[in-house]
Amino acid sequence: MKRTLITGGAGYIGSITTRLIRSTGRGVVVLDTLENGHRKAVGDAPFVQGDIADTDLVEKVCREHNVDEVIHFAAYKAVGESMENPTKYFQNNVTGSQRLFDALTRAGVNRVVFSSTAAVYGTPERVPVRETDVLNCESVYAETKLMIERTLGWYSKTTDMRSVVLRYFNAAGATEDSQLGEDWRHSQNLIPHVMKALLGYAPSLKVFGNDFPTPDGTGVRDYIHVEDLAQAHVAALDHLARGGNSITCNVGTGFGTSVMQIIEATERVTGKKVPYEVVERRAGDPAECYADASLIEKTFSWSPSKSLDDIIRTAYNWHSSHPQGH
Ligand code: WQD
């Protein structure tokens, strides 16, 4: 059986994508250091504990497990930390990915799906933002993702490697059965913080500014359900398996939602109050960022199937049943 190598498959988006891919009948092998991921999230999928930078290990895993395609999730992803410790991010994300691609090349694996981020646009010049718009990284984290995108671009030009780069907007929510979700101990993102305040694990949600030039003054983002995001990876693998060309796509809903709208939706869906206070803006936060998702919709016939209420409901069910984070 041919297998998909999934780096970072014990993490939030990685584990949910791994489960979805297995449900389609494909074989997988997960590679994860377990520094931030959880062994439990991999379930009974074939698993190797190790680093993407270990070229000998990656080459051996590819050969032994008959790997013919890869989804590369493994990375550090905390924006704030990347500004305090850039070396950690350049080394792990950029150097690690380059070593991974070297090992893949040696093992003859030439189809790669890569998790990138809408953070490569920084403060977009216009919304909805398109793939061809100006790239303006405002953090080391974003820069590392863009450097990996560009590295893949050069591998595509100079070798037989083909890649799909997926620029995620704001991944959120959990699986419908509450088996897999985000570890809120490792997250700086809005929805886990809303849930912490709602469930009494934090005194209140801090709303980072209500004086942005947006309809209600709070920041606007494009929240995409993690199971829809996982489905986009399956579509990307299918595209490459069909012989499709290298491509870079936004993965979002195309709709913007403000922080206040998230609070209101949470109160409506759960029937509980979200304690919150408005504080200073967070450094580097754009007012608005949401996707033009027409390229992925057209190229992969993919479109999101879940609503904002589904995101809130599944996140609430997951966090209330997994307060320890995993
Ligand atoms: C969303 C909105 C905040 C927390 C970042 C990275 C991106 C990706 C996802 C990836 C903003 C507001 C948030 C809080 C708040 N990371 N907010 N109180 O900043 O769009 O994207 O995370 O791996 O690359 O840049 O997401 O969830 O942090 O913020 O008011 O406690 O919620 O100001 O408007 P962001 P976010």
Side-chain angles (χ1 to χ4, degrees):
M1 186 204 267
K2 295 283 190 191
R3 289 183 193 274
T4 312
L5 171 65
I6 305 180
T7 76
Y12 168 46
I13 306 170
S15 62
I16 292 172
T17 305
T18 299
R19 195 175 83 163
L20 179 68
I21 289 177
R22 293 183 82 203
S23 76
T24 69
R26 273 178 235 231
V28 303
V29 52
V30 168
L31 177 69
D32 198 299
T33 59
L34 298 184
E35 193 180 331
N36 291 316
H38 298 287
R39 179 66 187 83
K40 199 173 95 187
V42 182
D44 60 359
F47 174 72
V48 177
Q49 185 168 359
D51 200 311
I52 53 170
D54 186 345
T55 43
D56 291 342
L57 175 69
V58 172
E59 191 178 348
K60 181 164 157 274
V61 168
C62 289
R63 293 193 192 282
E64 284 180 358
H65 290 265
N66 217 3
V67 168
D68 66 344
E69 57 187 9
V70 182
I71 308 182
H72 177 30
F73 290 103
Y76 292 138
K77 61 166 193 173
V79 174
E81 184 191 49
S82 78
M83 303 299 278
E84 283 153 24
N85 194 351
T87 301
K88 177 176 172 180
Y89 278 70
F90 286 119
Q91 209 151 51
N92 184 63
N93 294 6
V94 181
T95 308
S97 296
Q98 201 285 314
R99 292 177 69 93
L100 170 73
F101 303 148
D102 178 34
L104 297 179
T105 307
R106 283 203 254 146
V109 179
N110 61 10
R111 307 201 303 266
V112 180
V113 176
F114 172 57
S115 26
S116 189
T117 172
V120 296
Y121 300 114
T123 302
E125 286 188 347
R126 59 167 178 186
V127 282
V129 61
R130 290 195 200 135
E131 291 83 354
T132 46
D133 286 351
V134 175
L135 302 175
N136 181 26
C137 295
E138 290 169 3
S139 69
V140 170
Y141 163 73
E143 188 69 40
T144 64
K145 289 287 181 175
L146 183 57
M147 288 169 82
I148 302 164
E149 287 193 11
R150 291 190 194 276
T151 306
L152 278 172
W154 285 107
Y155 271 87
S156 284
K157 286 196 178 80
T158 56
T159 73
D160 65 355
M161 190 180 275
R162 287 172 295 124
S163 55
V164 174
V165 170
L166 298 177
R167 290 183 181 152
Y168 310 159
F169 283 67
N170 296 63
T175 58
E176 284 290 342
D177 63 3
S178 295
Q179 292 299 303
L180 296 169
E182 190 170 8
D183 182 345
W184 62 9
R185 295 169 312 159
H186 297 151
S187 178
Q188 303 304 318
N189 294 337
L190 176 64
I191 292 183
H193 277 93
V194 169
M195 294 301 158
K196 270 189 189 169
L198 184 82
L199 292 164
Y201 290 89
S204 68
L205 169 73
K206 292 187 171 17
V207 174
F208 297 142
N210 65 354
D211 56 354
F212 286 101
T214 60
D216 65 21
T218 63
V220 169
R221 297 289 184 276
D222 187 339
Y223 297 90
I224 169 90
H225 194 282
V226 65
E227 288 194 311
D228 282 328
L229 188 52
Q231 201 73 57
H233 293 77
V234 174
L237 290 178
D238 289 343
H239 167 85
L240 292 174
R242 280 195 304 269
N245 290 332
S246 294
I247 188 168
T248 298
C249 295
N250 288 339
V251 196
T253 64
F255 296 100
T257 305
S258 73
V259 176
M260 278 317 296
Q261 286 173 321
I262 293 280
I263 294 172
E264 283 154 20
T266 303
E267 293 185 340
R268 181 168 41 73
V269 169
T270 66
K272 295 188 165 82
K273 281 273 165 215
V274 179
Y276 71 88
E277 56 180 316
V278 178
V279 300
E280 289 292 289
R281 291 185 187 187
R282 184 172 64 180
D285 266 351
E288 284 192 289
C289 187
Y290 54 93
D292 180 324
S294 53
L295 182 64
I296 189 168
E297 289 180 4
K298 189 179 73 191
T299 315
F300 299 162
S301 304
W302 169 93
S303 59
S305 63
K306 297 203 183 274
S307 65
L308 182 63
D309 284 10
D310 293 328
I311 289 178
I312 307 285
R313 178 177 48 77
T314 56
Y316 176 73
N317 290 341
W318 160 258
H319 289 297
S320 48
S321 58
H322 296 82
Q324 80 286 13
H326 56 92

